[in-house]
Amino acid sequence: MEIKIVDTPEKFRSVAEEAAEVLAALLRELAALEDKSFAQYTRLCRKGQIIEFKDGVRSEFTDVQVWKAEMKIRFAALLDPYCTQKLITQRRDCLHAQHFPSTFNCLNTGCTLTVTMKSAGKAAVQLIPDEGSVPFDLSDPDVRYLVDDMKSGGHGAQCYGHFQKFRFVLKLEADGWKLDEVSSDSLHGDRWRRDWCF
């Protein structure tokens, strides 16, 4: 991950870098949860059930709609502490993990965070994944499961590429940096669209 600070006065540069690092940490957590959720959803569709153990408690899911509702709760629990009240109020749904691997895996495989901060308390960050093929991380059992599932469906499943970029507006509130607006676009596009899932 490379952080570039552009169009930012010198006095804001260290704060702008801090905003980018807070965002990157959150998006890494989101990526891990998205990949886990996608793997569990695939297991549910293939095997008809998911069994999870969390804090010594066993949970079983056999209904896709119940699983989706549970995942919306989990994604909201992760994101809400990092979102402004405005963004939470505008949220239409908190369903993530619509594809595999997560778009935000690029934080581990290569991307650029371009940060602009022209005034105190507000930063704009663009996340642009590196182009090219990225091999799947087969050390992760969920990734292995999904790659095997894709191979059984006739997909080569050796590598993948990222196809989306994001723009985040962050505000500095009393308890830290918060997401205030999120937009996305295709990797080479120039038509940003609001993302209503954050």
Side-chain angles (χ1 to χ4, degrees), residues 25-41 43 52 54 67 70-80 94-105 108 140 142 146:
L26 172 62
L27 295 179
R28 279 192 177 103
E29 280 189 68
L30 179 59
L33 185 57
E34 285 186 345
D35 285 349
K36 181 73 173 175
S37 173
F38 196 96
Q40 292 292 64
Y41 177 78
R43 285 185 180 101
E52 292 186 331
K54 187 174 181 180
W67 171 252
E70 172 65 20
M71 289 316 300
K72 287 179 189 181
I73 292 167
R74 292 183 192 183
F75 283 117
L78 171 66
L79 293 171
D80 282 358
C94 202
L95 184 62
H96 289 261
Q98 298 299 302
H99 54 81
F100 173 79
S102 168
T103 301
F104 304 114
N105 276 335
N108 301 317
D140 183 319
D142 286 327
L146 289 167

Side-chain angles (χ1 to χ4, degrees), residues 96-120:
H96 289 261
Q98 298 299 302
H99 54 81
F100 173 79
S102 168
T103 301
F104 304 114
N105 276 335
C106 66
L107 286 156
N108 301 317
T109 60
C111 68
T112 302
L113 292 178
T114 305
V115 189
T116 303
M117 188 171 174
K118 295 186 177 181
S119 62

Side-chain angles (χ1 to χ4, degrees), residues 59-72:
S59 301
E60 183 176 342
F61 298 90
T62 56
D63 184 290
V64 169
Q65 296 310 316
V66 172
W67 171 252
K68 285 183 178 180
E70 172 65 20
M71 289 316 300
K72 287 179 189 181

Side-chain angles (χ1 to χ4, degrees), residues 1 5 7 21 26 39 52 65 67 81 91 96 102 123 130 135 138 144 149 155 157 167-168 179 189:
M1 178 186 81
I5 300 175
D7 298 330
E21 289 171 356
L26 172 62
E52 292 186 331
Q65 296 310 316
W67 171 252
R91 180 186 292 154
H96 289 261
S102 168
D130 291 350
L138 297 177
R144 279 197 310 274
D149 183 61
H155 186 283
R167 182 173 60 200
F168 301 90
L179 295 172

